[in-house]
Amino acid sequence: MDAVSPRLEDLPVRDDLRGMTPYGAPQAALPVALNVNENTHPIPKDVSDDIVDAIAFALRDVNRYPDREFTHLREGFADYLGHGLTREQIWAGNGSNEVLQHLLQAFAGPGRTVFGFAPTYSMYPLLTRGTGAQWVAGTRAHDFTIAADDAVAQVAEADPDVVILCSPNNPTGTPLSLEVIDAVYARSRGIVIVDEAYWEFAPREQQSALTLLPDRERLVVSRTMSKAFAFAGARVGYLAADPALIDALRLVRLPYHLSALTQAAASAALRHAPTMLAAVDEIVVQRDRISATLAALGYNPYESWTNFVLFSGVEDPAATWQALYDRGVLIRDVGLPGSLRVTAGTEAETSAFLDALASVTPAR
Ligand SMILES: *Cc1c(COP(=O)(O)O)cnc(C)c1O
């Protein structure tokens, strides 16, 4: 991570930003990078050819501002999500991080609170504080699950303006049942955001929180093209919610926030959704292989419905992280005691990680 300059303290920066540290997953050019839950499979050639054509076409009009309402792209997301959704219920941004920021700009802000069950996605507190709101961290059971009655009691106590439920949760991989989401919604007065960034990696028979949207006008389900779609570098995230809630987001977005090139690329990629998602099954196989091998090595992998595995039983996480780094394998120390997190890569990358870890694991 780039260090924060000591001279920052001399600047008249907002009081509530003093002492904060920026998001800082290390970006190192290692042969095997399994640290930020990217899809490590490149997008298929026929799809990238089509995306290039779409961008070339969009370039002809790039002297003009893009469609501010990104109508075509919203239709694409509505089609992809199904559940009878229409474009009026869809919003998008430069990554789901921007979509979350729009939500918090509209519904959080100074004097308001945003609640989430920790440990959860490290960007939630940063995005919350960026709008001047206060982040309130709830708790989870030891295995990182959340029971409905406990969730409801914590939310009732905190009485937040916004609740963010990460389903399945990052950095733990933990599934969250619709029962918990519904109970939290019923007991809260504010906006309830369900972040389904990893939904495509969940078991196929499971129901998405999209099924809860009818008649719940404070509920939001956010998704991203960064993970399953192998599109992290393009920066495209989106959400589904009631049309009135989406009108609130129009108040805070920058005009023309989605570039014509982004809109063209994302729409083209969506037209090939099944091909773009072809690697998901293979990634799930590698994820489950990681969990099984970690257990055989004596670690404790947590249940995961995502493309990564959090495991505990690591005596010295910083030392293990460094030993893997020295062997060309980059994973993530998310700051949980005795734990590390690894993304499921291709079969070869996954083998490289498992072999490197086995070589640094003391016999037990
Ligand atoms: C990766 C991730 C996102 C996606 O962020 P983008 O801005 O879309 O790249 C959102 N939520 C969680 C929990 C994530 O892990």
Side-chain angles (χ1 to χ4, degrees):
M1 191 181 83
D2 302 320
V4 177
S5 160
R7 290 194 298 120
L8 181 60
E9 284 170 30
D10 300 334
L11 291 171
V13 71
R14 272 163 44 186
D15 289 338
D16 60 332
L17 294 184
R18 284 183 191 281
M20 280 175 64
T21 40
Y23 177 85
Q27 283 197 299
L30 259 59
V32 181
L34 302 174
N35 65 327
V36 286
N37 302 338
E38 293 152 335
N39 183 336
T40 67
H41 299 247
I43 58 177
K45 175 82 165 67
D46 49 336
V47 183
S48 62
D49 286 349
D50 212 25
I51 292 172
V52 168
D53 288 349
I55 291 175
F57 190 76
L59 271 173
R60 297 188 199 172
D61 286 326
V62 88
N63 55 313
R64 303 286 183 185
Y65 282 114
D67 173 11
R68 203 169 46 214
E69 288 293 315
F70 43 101
T71 316
H72 187 62
L73 181 57
R74 284 192 294 141
E75 280 164 2
F77 283 130
D79 281 353
Y80 169 67
L81 290 178
H83 297 282
L85 290 164
T86 63
R87 68 168 189 243
E88 287 76 26
Q89 294 163 283
I90 304 291
W91 187 249
N94 295 282
S96 58
N97 270 277
E98 187 180 48
V99 162
L100 292 170
Q101 186 175 53
H102 287 164
L103 286 164
L104 296 179
Q105 284 177 316
F107 297 104
R112 294 196 168 197
T113 54
V114 180
F115 178 95
F117 294 96
T120 191
Y121 186 39
S122 64
M123 279 308 298
Y124 300 153
L126 275 174
L127 290 165
T128 297
R129 292 183 193 126
T131 75
Q134 190 194 341
W135 170 253
V136 180
T139 58
R140 294 168 179 266
H142 282 299
D143 61 358
F144 303 121
T145 58
I146 316 169
D149 54 349
D150 181 30
V152 165
Q154 291 190 52
V155 169
E157 163 88 25
D159 191 30
D161 298 283
V162 179
V163 178
I164 311 182
L165 303 171
C166 195
S167 174
N169 188 51
N170 182 12
T172 62
T174 320
L176 184 68
S177 71
L178 289 190
E179 183 204 353
V180 173
I181 296 168
D182 193 26
V184 165
Y185 182 88
R187 192 58 186 81
S188 58
R189 62 176 170 81
I191 300 296
V192 176
I193 304 169
V194 183
D195 181 350
E196 291 191 337
Y198 297 95
W199 188 256
E200 286 88 351
F201 301 103
R204 287 281 156 75
E205 70 279 8
Q206 295 296 326
Q207 297 265 306
S208 153
L210 292 169
T211 58
L212 296 176
L213 281 176
D215 301 321
R216 290 181 183 82
E217 63 287 339
R218 293 177 288 111
L219 185 66
V220 183
V221 180
S222 76
R223 296 275 187 99
T224 180
M225 294 185 80
S226 293
K227 310 289 161 59
F229 271 93
F231 224 45
R235 310 304 301 127
V236 187
Y238 56 105
L239 62 73
D242 188 77
L245 189 147
I246 283 164
D247 278 340
L249 307 179
R250 292 190 169 88
L251 301 174
V252 296
R253 61 96 174 272
L254 297 173
Y256 318 107
H257 69 284
L258 269 184
S259 87
L261 308 184
T262 301
Q263 292 184 41
S267 290
L270 272 181
R271 284 197 293 274
H272 296 276
T275 315
M276 292 288 276
L277 295 171
V280 165
D281 289 345
E282 165 64 11
I283 293 166
V284 166
V285 167
Q286 298 308 320
R287 174 197 73 198
D288 293 344
R289 177 177 160 230
I290 290 173
S291 298
T293 311
L294 286 172
L297 287 170
Y299 296 101
N300 312 309
Y302 291 91
E303 181 183 13
S304 172
W305 280 14
T306 63
N307 66 342
F308 59 83
V309 179
L310 179 78
F311 56 103
S312 65
V314 187
E315 210 156 284
D316 185 345
T320 301
W321 183 89
Q322 187 63 51
L324 293 173
Y325 186 101
D326 295 341
R327 286 163 177 75
V329 179
L330 185 60
I331 67 168
R332 189 84 180 271
D333 182 350
V334 291
L336 294 173
S339 304
L340 290 168
R341 191 193 71 187
V342 63
T343 308
T346 61
E347 184 175 9
E349 290 167 329
T350 303
S351 297
F353 158 71
L354 290 170
D355 292 350
L357 183 69
S359 77
V360 304
T361 299
R364 36 184 137 189

